[in-house]
Amino acid sequence: MSLKESVQHFQTLVVSFHPVIVIDTLEEERVQGLIGAACTDLQMAVFDWSIAQGLMRSPESPQNRWQNEYAPPGAKRSQALDKTTEPLDMLRHIQEISFKAIYWLKDFARHLKDPVVARQFREVANQFSHNRSTLVISGSGHSLPPEVAHDSVYFDLKLPQPEELYGAVSDVVRALKGRVKVELTPEDIHALVKALQGMTLAQTRKVVSYAALHDGRLGPEDVKRVLERKARVIHEEGLLDYFPSETNLAELGGFAGLKRWLNCAKVGFTPQARQFNLPAPKGILIVGIQGCGKSLAAKTIARQWQLPLLKLDAGRLYDKYIGESDKNFRRAVTLAETMAPCILWIDEIEKSMGQSSSDADGGLSRRLFGYFLTWLQEKSHEIFVVATANDLSAIPPELLRKGRFDEIFFVDLPEADERENILTIHLGRRQQGLAAYDMAALVAATEGFSGAEIEQAIITAHYRALYERQPASTALLLEEIKRTVPLSITRREDIQRLRAVARERFVPVR
Ligand SMILES: Nc1ncnc2c1ncn2[C@@H]1O[C@H](COP(=O)(O)OP(=O)(O)OP(=O)(O)O)[C@@H](O)[C@H]1O
Ligand SMILES: [Mg+2]
């Protein structure tokens, strides 16, 4: 939704007798911009209130009748109305105002916990539902009491739009005039604004000011700096982990079938595919045995396609205060959309949207799942979802239905040639010349081992070699391998069950 559309939507709510509009945000400057723009058109007065300042007529308000008489000529600053800092006094006061106005109450939800304030608030709301005045509540993290929520409508203030970000960049450039050189072509500006998407205006101003002041210049190289900063912001918010494509060095042995599929699917992102009205690939689900490279595969896809990788931290979705989880999920998805084209990796999807937890959490995981399915079906951004799962029985069957994902892959224990690949990767990573190893013996000895178990045996053998001050060798490694009891033995039945279902329904990764 563009800024203009947001303003129109807000105006429509106001004129269609919605007495209470709730905007869940901490970005007050944008609420101010929105209300200001809406009211100029509507020719309505605007008041704002905070517990610290009381009720005052907004300076931008049309026909500002309450301008401070004592202010110097031309001064815009209004003065608060007498005795309006207390919520109850303020509500009684606005009940007496007879002309149409918008009352923006900052951080007001917390005051509605007081039953007297809540009651008075409802009376005002009731009065406003007849005369088109509107109460706007902004703030974050506080829910409304049910009787107030009933009269309210939520307004979703989307993240800043490109034009707003552009405006913020222009503000910074103007403010720093003379101190920094701006060397941006129109394409650079476009790239910069794209890199800024997903940030708030305040974050944007900070990042851009820093990038400019750091070396006295705002140039094309700052786009990268902004992206790095955004990675940190995304990480600090705690819902997504960001792996930039430059630092992704994942190396996956085997998975030849998946790699072939990916090479083919990649064309789905090209302009030629758009010409033929082909949709971009939606995503894949990788189901399989523990430690066999599912998570690694997600990283490898991002590497192969040279796209940024965002990992959704499902645990963190629930971590914060419950009830906020839906919002957290939406926020994560919106952030991911600002990074498109990118890979959104949902590791162990059954844990966040599985069936088993549905009763325990009052249906929250079902709701999240429903939201996710709709989003997956309708998403218009170029976001490729890679979901992984171990426990097939916990995955809601809807997710496995054809058409949800482009493909569902099954990862079994690695076969001989794949084990050789995995051994080669992990020995190579420990600076080992392969010629010194008896690969055939190692491949044979690791039958039934997962990639993770092979890697662990290599690590342990190397510790021992270092400790005993001898070079690592086939013999040492074979000893470690013999000492390992792989999951394929300890959890034989589970694995056989998974295989029986998955082999006939899903595509093998090799
Ligand atoms: N095919 C492979 N090629 C290279 N390394 C592998 C492969 N499979 C597993 N590994 C090694 O094992 C580690 C664990 O693998 P990974 O985390 O991808 O497994 P997983 O299938 O996601 O397991 P889990 O179900 O426990 O999450 C990897 O970091 C990697 O070092
Ligand atoms: Mg994993």
Side-chain angles (χ1 to χ4, degrees):
M1 207 190 286
S2 72
L3 181 62
K4 197 160 155 237
E5 285 165 336
S6 288
V7 171
Q8 274 171 357
H9 175 45
F10 183 83
Q11 286 173 332
T12 311
L13 289 176
V14 172
V15 297
S16 56
F17 299 98
H18 286 84
V20 183
I21 300 177
V22 183
I23 309 182
D24 189 348
T25 181
L26 289 174
E27 281 195 278
E28 289 188 346
E29 62 174 307
R30 297 185 62 227
V31 178
Q32 184 169 16
L34 177 77
I35 296 179
C39 288
T40 312
D41 274 2
L42 294 173
Q43 282 295 302
M44 283 173 87
V46 185
F47 292 82
D48 56 63
W49 176 90
S50 77
I51 187 87
Q53 300 204 320
L55 187 68
M56 59 167 88
R57 182 92 176 222
S58 277
E60 293 90 37
S61 186
Q63 307 136 24
N64 189 343
R65 279 190 250 155
W66 264 296
Q67 268 222 8
N68 181 3
E69 299 159 26
Y70 305 105
K76 278 260 182 146
R77 191 153 176 74
S78 311
Q79 205 175 43
L81 303 175
D82 236 9
K83 296 205 189 68
T84 53
T85 45
E86 285 309 309
L88 200 56
D89 295 338
M90 174 271 292
L91 289 170
R92 288 191 177 130
H93 195 106
I94 62 181
Q95 223 176 357
E96 300 304 317
I97 297 177
S98 56
F99 52 89
K100 280 188 295 181
I102 289 192
Y103 300 90
W104 171 22
L105 314 181
K106 299 171 185 169
D107 303 326
F108 197 74
R110 69 179 79 215
H111 303 294
L112 290 166
K113 294 211 169 71
D114 178 335
V116 185
V117 174
R119 181 64 238 171
Q120 185 66 40
F121 184 87
R122 290 190 67 201
E123 290 190 2
V124 177
N126 188 27
Q127 183 179 324
F128 285 6
S129 62
H130 302 293
N131 74 359
R132 283 208 190 127
S133 281
T134 304
L135 297 157
V136 176
I137 297 180
S138 72
S140 181
H142 287 270
S143 50
L144 299 179
E147 66 276 16
V148 175
H150 178 77
D151 295 327
S152 315
V153 59
Y154 278 83
F155 182 87
D156 185 11
L157 189 68
K158 300 266 189 270
L159 283 163
Q161 299 299 306
E163 69 242 54
E164 294 174 83
L165 295 168
Y166 181 81
V169 174
S170 310
D171 288 348
V172 172
V173 169
R174 223 171 294 126
L176 297 179
K177 203 168 177 191
R179 281 196 282 165
V180 292
K181 264 206 243 134
V182 180
E183 290 165 3
L184 295 167
T185 62
E187 289 82 51
D188 298 333
I189 294 176
H190 182 77
L192 184 67
V193 167
K194 187 161 188 308
L196 287 164
Q197 276 179 42
M199 291 202 200
T200 63
L201 292 184
Q203 284 165 340
T204 296
R205 275 193 289 268
K206 275 187 233 158
V207 178
V208 175
S209 306
Y210 184 87
L213 289 171
H214 166 80
D215 55 0
R217 173 185 133 94
L218 198 58
E221 72 287 349
D222 288 315
V223 173
K224 199 161 160 240
R225 197 162 291 140
V226 166
L227 278 174
E228 282 164 14
R229 177 69 196 126
K230 179 151 98 176
R232 235 170 303 143
V233 169
I234 288 178
H235 182 77
E236 280 157 16
E237 291 204 9
L239 298 170
L240 293 169
D241 262 327
Y242 174 49
F243 304 78
S245 52
E246 304 87 60
T247 57
N248 184 347
L249 299 174
E251 249 189 306
L252 180 70
F255 284 63
L258 176 69
K259 288 174 183 167
R260 259 195 316 276
W261 187 92
L262 291 170
N263 274 336
C264 183
K266 196 177 173 192
V267 300
F269 289 111
T270 57
Q272 290 95 309
R274 292 299 93 72
Q275 260 174 15
F276 288 110
N277 289 324
L278 291 169
K282 280 197 288 266
I284 55 173
L285 171 64
I286 309 177
V287 180
I289 298 171
Q290 263 173 42
C292 284
K294 297 183 295 296
S295 301
L296 190 59
K299 290 188 199 153
T300 311
I301 297 169
R303 185 174 187 197
Q304 192 173 331
W305 285 355
Q306 285 294 299
L307 289 179
L309 175 66
L310 293 166
K311 180 182 175 191
L312 180 74
D313 191 331
R316 300 279 275 279
L317 278 182
Y318 293 92
D319 210 17
K320 316 230 163 155
Y321 15 119
I322 272 228
E324 292 280 283
S325 304
D326 309 43
K327 199 175 98 195
N328 289 339
F329 185 69
R330 274 196 290 276
R331 166 92 183 127
V333 163
T334 314
L335 264 181
E337 285 172 350
T338 70
M339 300 286 291
C342 67
I343 309 265
L344 179 64
W345 169 23
I346 308 182
D347 209 23
E348 310 191 346
I349 193 169
E350 74 273 33
K351 295 209 173 129
S352 52
M353 296 174 212
Q355 298 183 304
S356 51
S357 50
S358 57
D359 296 331
D361 62 11
L364 177 64
S365 52
R366 293 298 299 178
R367 273 209 311 282
L368 275 189
F369 176 64
Y371 180 78
F372 171 68
L373 276 191
T374 317
W375 175 79
L376 189 64
Q377 215 73 43
E378 292 172 2
K379 75 187 161 67
S380 55
H381 296 79
E382 292 189 351
I383 299 179
F384 188 77
V385 176
V386 180
T388 71
N390 286 332
D391 183 359
L392 211 46
S393 66
I395 301 180
E398 299 98 295
L399 198 62
L400 302 177
R401 210 173 291 151
K402 206 71 196 150
R404 296 293 191 201
F405 288 104
D406 296 312
E407 201 60 89
I408 301 180
F409 288 97
F410 172 58
V411 190
D412 207 335
L413 289 167
E415 286 176 354
D417 55 336
E418 288 179 304
R419 294 202 298 279
E420 181 170 344
N421 259 321
I422 297 172
L423 282 158
T424 307
I425 290 172
H426 289 287
L427 284 170
R429 201 173 284 167
R430 272 90 209 174
Q431 326 294 341
Q432 298 298 306
L434 293 176
Y437 285 87
D438 181 350
M439 196 52 90
L442 292 173
V443 168
T446 48
E447 173 149 25
F449 276 50
S450 69
E453 286 161 343
I454 295 175
E455 183 187 17
Q456 197 49 50
I458 292 177
I459 291 173
T460 320
H462 276 80
Y463 279 152
R464 227 181 104 196
L466 270 181
Y467 176 70
E468 292 174 0
R469 293 172 200 270
Q470 55 166 322
S473 63
T474 304
L476 258 185
L477 199 45
L478 284 174
E479 237 175 83
E480 273 324 311
I481 291 169
K482 285 216 181 73
R483 220 176 278 171
T484 310
V485 185
L487 277 181
S488 59
I489 294 186
T490 53
R491 298 196 35 212
R492 190 194 309 260
E493 289 76 23
D494 288 343
I495 291 178
Q496 274 167 356
R497 219 173 304 129
L498 176 64
R499 264 191 192 145
V501 182
R503 266 194 183 150
E504 67 182 43
R505 292 184 57 186
F506 310 135
V507 179
V509 292
R510 54 174 74 102

